[in-house]
Amino acid sequence: MGRNNRYIGVDLGATKTLAVLFDENLAPLGQARVKTPSEKGGEAVLDAILALIAEVCGLYSCDPAALTCIGVAVPAPIDRASGTVIQAPNMGLKDFPMAKRINKAVGVPAFLENDVRAGAWAEYRKGALRGCRNAIAVFVGTGIGGGIIIDGKLLDGSHGHAGEVGHMILQDGGAACGCGQYGCFEALASRTAMAKDAAAAIASGKSPALLEKAGSDFKKLKSSAFEYALAQKDPAVLRIVERSAYWAGVGMANLVNVLDPEAIVLGGGIVARFGSLYRDKAEESMRAHIMPGFVKGVKVLASELGDLSVPTGAAITAKEALDSAAAP
Amino acid sequence: MGRNNRYIGVDLGATKTLAVLFDENLAPLGQARVKTPSEKGGEAVLDAILALIAEVCGLYSCDPAALTCIGVAVPAPIDRASGTVIQAPNMGLKDFPMAKRINKAVGVPAFLENDVRAGAWAEYRKGALRGCRNAIAVFVGTGIGGGIIIDGKLLDGSHGHAGEVGHMILQDGGAACGCGQYGCFEALASRTAMAKDAAAAIASGKSPALLEKAGSDFKKLKSSAFEYALAQKDPAVLRIVERSAYWAGVGMANLVNVLDPEAIVLGGGIVARFGSLYRDKAEESMRAHIMPGFVKGVKVLASELGDLSVPTGAAITAKEALDSAAAP
């Protein structure tokens, strides 16, 4: 690995986009962030990514054309081989050849990865799952996703779709999910699920602290509003957070029973926000729901990379794709 | 592989035990079966296995001491390396060194495997899953178990326990499971679950055909009683069978969403008994519960090996263990 190798990992999100510059050891040198112009469509999103790449390179006097490669992690299904975003309607992307367009604009190889898969792989390579052979990462945020490490490899599945843990059904006939099913993990534990419960608590007058912060605007029920209400010792909100953690534990238990991993890292925006309050409750629920023989063998870990897990994974997977393309 | 190599695979069950003699290509030559003396404890069970081995060898003029190896599949947790049955209370086995005892008695190498894992591996090597790289076998019988093939290998997990698919929670708070949880796949879809529903149908006078066959004796609610009642067009029993298949579909859907396999083979006693009536309903439910993007990519297959899947898998895993021990 050359001493001057530099990599960029981009975490493209529907609300904001983060680009991180990494050194030859994939350690972060610096970052730049921007509001994603999702409503302006694919070309605007691409332009924003290109501007961010230029910005973060500028901060470190690094010529973008001298980068070794660029990885972009996308919260959507992708075609890895062609570097195409298959469909991300909330950003106006459909069959969008993101990798080729970046490659053409910057002049260095570019690769795509799915965001939760990138995050899981980063925790395995550089974070909490280092040294594990079989492990799982579960990310709880607006949605719920995961990545599965088997025998030291990120599980692709037959069509590259493995790890849709958020759509495991944990309570058939339960809460409606965006996917059309009822009782999915995501419908029970995500930020979206919490916001629904919170709206009900506000409507029934049970959460004065949330009412004060969010009023009746469903969109204002963000993590910060929950955090504020928790600080006010709002009991309705404490129950909502604990309920999400309970379901996170059930989802993790299913994964442990099926896959028998050494460790699960529990990350994502919700977990980052509520920390050990959330993680401890989720672990307690997981241990209560797994087969007795599994209880001692599995660890629940906090994410070590936090916000950097996805861009780090984007850079690592890009580097690995480049290396394997160069291999004889 | 020598031309005269012979293998025996034993399917040890709590009610009956089956031994099958295989030729050098792992094709079955013949079999012998006996009622398992479970209530008499471990030594009696071992003696029954040894007698069966002698019997099936006798039928084909094969000297037991000339067998290449013997594999025994056990419906219980095992320690593969030491060939020990960790715990099978229903057969009086606890820390029982089954492989060593058979090896000592017969004079040929013996190996243990878990029964559903053996069945899954046999379907991959010799049955419905031939040619797949990523696949799953789900067996629905008195209990529910599974085996997961990833990249052409049977998934062990970190402690050799992977594949406990029967204890995925599909309806938290639902029917009580023998494992102590509520709403496990096994508690909703196994023969045991069906028998509970049947008892309720009989008690409420809704299933005259089952009442005729089983009376009020819960133990008589076997697959044959269900089959009889179905032939009588008993609507309560049709609902019970369809309900089990529905839940089998939910369980399979969770596995597809997490693992993205090419195919699932659905086998086991219940599926064998009700055939395509059951399998079609289970597949319909699975397709209704998976993510839309997965629908086209996964096949649901019938077991090709049926009753022979477990003994075949026991013989194959034994042969492979022997080969890998002999490898430099």
Side-chain angles (χ1 to χ4, degrees), chain A residues 10-61:
Chain A
V10 177
D11 176 6
L12 171 62
T15 51
K16 58 179 196 280
T17 299
L18 169 67
V20 181
L21 178 68
F22 294 91
D23 73 8
E24 63 274 20
N25 299 312
L26 277 315
L29 293 168
Q31 51 178 273
R33 196 179 296 253
V34 74
K35 191 176 168 308
T36 311
S38 295
E39 68 295 346
K40 293 185 185 160
E43 292 297 330
V45 169
L46 172 66
D47 287 345
I49 291 174
L50 294 173
L52 264 189
I53 292 170
E55 182 184 343
V56 74
C57 282
L59 292 172
Y60 290 83
S61 313

Side-chain angles (χ1 to χ4, degrees), chain A residues 300-318:
Chain A
V300 176
L301 305 170
S303 161
E304 278 185 17
L305 300 170
D307 273 2
L308 287 183
S309 67
V310 174
T312 303
I316 296 176
T317 52

Side-chain angles (χ1 to χ4, degrees), chain B residues 119-131:
Chain B
W121 193 235
E123 291 289 348
Y124 173 71
R125 284 293 203 198
K126 293 274 175 187
L129 300 176
R130 272 193 317 273

Side-chain angles (χ1 to χ4, degrees), chain B residues 42-63:
Chain B
E43 292 296 330
V45 169
L46 173 65
D47 288 344
I49 291 173
L50 294 173
L52 263 189
I53 291 170
E55 183 185 340
V56 75
C57 282
L59 291 172
Y60 289 83
S61 312
C62 165
D63 175 11

Side-chain angles (χ1 to χ4, degrees), chain A residues 134 148 150-151 153 155-165 167-172 179 181 246-247 250 254-255 257-262 288-291 293-294 297, chain B residues 134 148 150-151 153 155-165 167-172 179 181 246-247 250 254-255 257-262 288-291 293-294 297:
Chain A
N134 295 288
I148 298 167
I150 302 227
D151 249 345
K153 290 200 295 187
L155 181 67
D156 287 327
S158 297
H159 314 86
H161 300 156
E164 281 290 0
V165 305
H167 299 284
M168 279 192 296
I169 290 167
L170 306 183
Q171 190 186 48
D172 190 49
C179 76
Q181 302 300 334
Y246 170 86
W247 286 112
V250 177
N254 278 6
L255 295 169
N257 282 339
V258 171
L259 298 168
D260 182 19
E262 294 155 73
H289 286 96
I290 51 181
M291 297 277 289
F294 287 101
Chain B
N134 295 288
I148 298 165
I150 300 217
D151 250 345
K153 290 200 296 188
L155 180 67
D156 288 327
S158 297
H159 315 86
H161 299 156
E164 282 289 0
V165 304
H167 299 283
M168 279 191 296
I169 289 166
L170 307 183
Q171 191 186 48
D172 191 49
C179 77
Q181 301 301 333
Y246 170 87
W247 285 113
V250 178
N254 278 6
L255 294 169
N257 281 339
V258 172
L259 298 168
D260 183 18
E262 293 154 73
H289 286 97
I290 51 181
M291 296 277 288
F294 286 102

Side-chain angles (χ1 to χ4, degrees), chain B residues 200-212:
Chain B
I202 291 173
S204 62
K206 284 184 182 144
S207 182
L210 269 187
L211 176 62
E212 178 196 334

Side-chain angles (χ1 to χ4, degrees), chain A residues 93-116:
Chain A
L93 297 168
K94 186 168 164 49
D95 295 326
F96 193 92
M98 183 70 80
K100 268 193 196 143
R101 295 292 301 277
I102 292 175
N103 170 242
K104 204 174 157 193
V106 188
V108 304
F111 301 90
L112 294 195
E113 187 47 271
N114 170 270
D115 62 349
V116 279

Side-chain angles (χ1 to χ4, degrees), chain A residues 7-327:
Chain A
Y7 305 87
I8 280 183
V10 177
D11 176 6
L12 171 62
T15 51
K16 58 179 196 280
T17 299
L18 169 67
V20 181
L21 178 68
F22 294 91
D23 73 8
E24 63 274 20
N25 299 312
L26 277 315
L29 293 168
Q31 51 178 273
R33 196 179 296 253
V34 74
K35 191 176 168 308
T36 311
S38 295
E39 68 295 346
K40 293 185 185 160
E43 292 297 330
V45 169
L46 172 66
D47 287 345
I49 291 174
L50 294 173
L52 264 189
I53 292 170
E55 182 184 343
V56 74
C57 282
L59 292 172
Y60 290 83
S61 313
C62 165
D63 175 9
L67 289 165
T68 305
C69 59
I70 297 167
V72 181
V74 184
I78 56 154
D79 180 69
R80 208 167 285 113
S82 66
T84 304
V85 179
I86 295 173
Q87 200 159 27
N90 55 347
M91 289 184 279
L93 297 168
K94 186 168 164 49
D95 295 326
F96 193 92
M98 183 70 80
K100 268 193 196 143
R101 295 292 301 277
I102 292 175
N103 170 242
K104 204 174 157 193
V106 188
V108 304
F111 301 90
L112 294 195
E113 187 47 271
N114 170 270
D115 62 349
V116 279
R117 289 170 51 88
W121 194 236
E123 291 289 347
Y124 172 72
R125 283 293 202 196
K126 293 274 175 187
L129 300 176
R130 270 192 318 272
C132 290
R133 294 296 298 168
N134 295 288
I136 300 169
V138 173
F139 298 100
V140 181
T142 307
I144 293 179
I148 298 167
I149 315 287
I150 302 227
D151 249 345
K153 290 200 295 187
L154 188 60
L155 181 67
D156 287 327
S158 297
H159 314 86
H161 300 156
E164 281 290 0
V165 305
H167 299 284
M168 279 192 296
I169 290 167
L170 306 183
Q171 190 186 48
D172 190 49
C177 186
C179 76
Q181 302 300 334
Y182 293 85
C184 296
F185 186 2
E186 185 167 302
L188 295 161
S190 66
R191 182 186 288 117
T192 315
M194 293 168 70
K196 279 202 244 179
D197 288 352
I202 291 172
S204 63
K206 285 183 180 145
S207 183
L210 269 186
L211 176 64
E212 178 196 335
K213 203 73 184 172
S216 61
D217 185 351
F218 191 78
K219 281 203 169 171
K220 287 188 180 160
L221 289 169
K222 295 183 175 171
S223 303
S224 56
F226 288 110
E227 199 174 37
Y228 171 81
L230 263 189
Q232 308 299 310
K233 303 204 183 303
D234 183 312
V237 166
L238 181 61
R239 279 195 59 201
I240 289 169
V241 172
E242 288 186 341
R243 192 174 127 92
S244 164
Y246 170 86
W247 286 112
V250 177
M252 296 194 306
N254 278 6
L255 295 169
V256 170
N257 282 339
V258 171
L259 298 168
D260 182 19
E262 294 155 73
I264 295 192
V265 63
L266 182 60
I270 290 292
V271 188
R273 184 69 69 160
F274 301 111
S276 60
L277 164 71
Y278 191 96
R279 232 173 14 250
D280 292 350
K281 186 80 191 169
E283 178 168 354
E284 179 190 319
S285 165
M286 182 197 84
R287 294 201 186 278
H289 286 96
I290 51 181
M291 297 277 289
F294 287 101
V295 170
K296 282 188 192 160
V298 60
K299 290 175 289 192
V300 176
L301 305 170
S303 161
E304 278 185 17
L305 300 170
D307 273 2
L308 287 183
S309 67
V310 174
T312 303
I316 296 176
T317 52
K319 179 189 180 305
E320 291 174 349
L322 188 66
D323 290 350
S324 80

